[in-house]
Amino acid sequence: MIKNICCIGAGYVGGPTMAVIAQKCPHIKVTVVDLNQDRINAWNHEDLSLLPIYEPGLDAVVGEARGRNLFFSTEVDQAIDEADAIFISVNTPTKTYGVGKGMAADLKYIELCARQIARVAKNDKIVIEKSTLPVRTAQAIKDILDHTGNGVNFQILSNPEFLAEGTAIEDLFAPDRVLIGGDTTPEGQVAISKLVEVYANWVNRENILTTNVWSSELSKLTANAFLAQRVSSINAMSELCEKTGADVNEVAKAIGLDTRIGSKFLKSSVGFGGSCFQKDILNLVYIAKSYGLNEVADYWEQVIIMNDHQKSRFSKNIISTLYNTVSGKKIAFLGWAFKKDTNDTRESAAIYVANDLISEQANIAVFDPKVEADQILFDLNYLETRTEADNKKYISIEKNGYDACNNAHAIAILTEWDEFKTYDWQKIYDNMLKPAFVFDGRNLLNKTELEKIGFIYQAIGS
Ligand code: NAI
C-alpha cells in the first residue's frame, strides 16, 4: 500500500493533482517538491488567494489538506528518500537547441529527476510518469534507474494527466478516466494495483483504466492531438464561413448534434494556446518522423500550421480593417491568458497577436483579470522579436478593462473571461475613438447588441 508520496514539480499539474490526492486520501502523506523556492513559498503562503496557480476551487482543497498530509518543500532528496511512490511532474518543453530543436520534447528535466531518484533511493520505489512524455520514455528512465541506482527495485508506471486548466479541480474530482500503464510482469501488475488503490479512494474503478506502459504514454499525446485537431478543423471552416456567408457557430451546432461527432471542442476562435497542445503535437510529429512515418507526421503537423494561420490572419484582419495601418493606434486587448479561469499564458494567442501588431507599431493596452504585468512583458520578450525596451514602449498593462479601452481605436478579445460579457459596452463605446471596432477572437459578445450601440463588430467565422 502506498503511504507516502513525493511529487517532483509543483507546477500546474503537480500542485493541483497532489492537492486533490492529499485531500481525498488523508491516510497518505503527500510532499510536493520543486527547485523553485519562490514557487514553493507561494504554495505555502498563508493567504490562499496568493497561491502560484489560479484555479477555481484550488484554494479550498489546499486549505483543507496543507499542513495535515500535504506539504510543499524544496527538500527534494528527503522527500524522495521517504516516499514509496514518486510522481515526476516536471516540465517537458519543446527543445530549443540541437537535434530535434523546435519539435522534440526536451527531456533533460526528466533525466535529472531519474538520476536524482537513483542516487537517493535506498528502498524499492514506484516511479510514476505524470509529465506528458514521448512514447518509450519509460525505457530511458528505467535504464537510468537500473544502472545508477543503489541496487533497489524500481517499477515505472505511466499515469498521464488529463486535467484541463481552468477546470482542473472539477476534472480531478471526477475524471472521465484515470489511465495507468505499467509492465506486464507480475511486479509491474502489483505496482499498477497499488496506484489503482490510491485513485480508488474517490474514482470509480470502472473509470480507472490500466494498460501497458507504451499505450499509456502514447494515449496522452493522442488525446491532445485529437483535441487540438478538432479546434483546427473548426477554425479551418471558420475561414471558409467568412467567405461564403455561412456562420461557423451554426455549422458547429449543426454538426455537433451528430452523436458521432459530438458538440464539445467545436468552438471557433483566434487559435488554441496553452503549454500542451502545440508541444505535444510537435513531439508526435517528431516521433513519427523518427520512425520514417512521414505521412503520419505531415497529417498531424497540419494541425499546428492551421493554428498558426488562424492567429496570424486575426492580426492581419485587424490591420486591414483599420485602413491598413495600426501605427500609433491604441488597441485594447481584453484577456492575455490562453483561456479563461487560469493565469497561465504559455503559448497564448494573445502573445502572437500582440507581437504582430507591435511590429506594425500599434500601442497595445492589455487587461487580464488574473495575469500579472511582469508575465505579459516576459511573454513578449521571450519571442525575442525586438528589444525589451521596445516592447515596453508599445505595451501598457491596465488594472481594469475600461481603462484599457479608453481612447482606443479598437478592442481585441483574446480570452473568453466571463466578466467581459457583463461590461457596460455603451460606456466603453462612448470613451473610444470612432469608428469603434471590436475584433472578437472568442465569439464571446452579442453581435446584434454591439452593432446597435454603434460598434463595428467582427467575430471569427461569420
Ligand atoms: P510547470 O512548468 O508548471 O511545472 C513544472 C515544475 O517542475 C516547475 O515548477 C519546475 O521548477 C519544476 N522542476 C523542473 N525540474 C525539476 C527538478 N529536477 N526538481 C524539482 N523540480 C523541478 O509545468 P506543468 O504545466 O505542471 O506541466 C508538467 C507536465 O505535465 C508537462 O509534461 C506537461 O506536458 C504535463 N501536463 C500539463 C498539463 C497542463 O494543463 N499544464 C495537463 C496535462 C499534462
Side-chain angles (χ1 to χ4, degrees), residues 45-62:
H45 207 289
E46 230 176 286
D47 181 348
L48 290 166
S49 70
L50 296 177
L51 296 179
I53 286 167
Y54 173 71
E55 274 293 337
L58 175 64
D59 49 354
V61 177
V62 172

Side-chain angles (χ1 to χ4, degrees), residues 115-282:
R115 289 186 185 277
Q116 192 162 7
I117 295 168
R119 179 172 53 75
V120 173
K122 294 195 282 295
N123 54 355
D124 295 354
K125 313 247 181 233
I126 301 174
V127 175
I128 305 155
E129 301 172 344
K130 184 52 109 178
S131 300
T132 303
L133 295 172
V135 56
R136 299 208 69 86
T137 305
Q139 189 60 50
I141 295 180
K142 190 159 176 44
D143 283 351
I144 291 167
L145 290 175
D146 286 351
H147 285 99
T148 58
N150 303 325
V152 300
N153 286 316
F154 294 104
Q155 278 301 320
I156 322 287
L157 300 180
S158 159
N159 172 220
E161 185 48 60
F162 294 101
L163 68 78
E165 286 180 32
T167 52
I169 299 300
E170 259 174 67
D171 297 343
L172 289 164
F173 279 176
D176 288 342
R177 78 313 207 176
V178 167
L179 179 59
I180 301 172
D183 271 0
T184 45
T185 57
E187 297 79 16
Q189 295 302 304
V190 170
I192 289 178
S193 66
K194 285 184 178 170
L195 189 55
V196 168
E197 287 310 316
V198 173
Y199 284 104
N201 281 293
W202 78 98
V203 179
N204 285 335
R205 280 179 195 260
E206 311 84 80
N207 295 347
I208 304 176
L209 196 67
T210 60
T211 64
N212 82 34
V213 72
W214 317 125
S215 304
S216 174
E217 287 180 335
L218 189 54
S219 293
K220 175 63 191 177
L221 291 182
T222 310
N224 275 353
F226 270 61
L227 289 168
Q229 174 264 326
R230 278 175 75 93
V231 179
S232 278
S233 294
I234 199 70
N235 280 344
M237 299 321 291
S238 75
E239 194 171 12
L240 192 54
C241 287
E242 288 166 24
K243 296 279 181 233
T244 55
D247 178 334
V248 76
N249 300 311
E250 293 179 347
V251 172
K253 185 161 186 198
I255 64 164
L257 287 170
D258 185 328
T259 50
R260 292 169 304 176
I261 296 174
S263 61
K264 290 186 182 161
F265 253 71
L266 284 183
K267 182 116 176 102
S268 187
S269 72
V270 55
F272 61 75
S275 66
C276 292
F277 283 178
Q278 174 164 314
K279 155 178 92 67
D280 293 347
I281 294 180
L282 289 172

Side-chain angles (χ1 to χ4, degrees), residues 8-14 33-36 39 76 89-92 109 112-113 116 130-132 161-163 165 220 275-276 279-280 344 346:
I8 309 180
Y12 283 85
V13 169
V33 291
D34 204 295
L35 298 173
N36 183 334
R39 218 167 199 185
V76 184
S89 188
V90 300
N91 37 330
T92 48
Y109 305 107
L112 282 171
C113 288
Q116 192 162 7
K130 184 52 109 178
S131 300
T132 303
E161 185 48 60
F162 294 101
L163 68 78
E165 286 180 32
K220 175 63 191 177
S275 66
C276 292
K279 155 178 92 67
D280 293 347
D344 194 350
R346 290 176 289 182

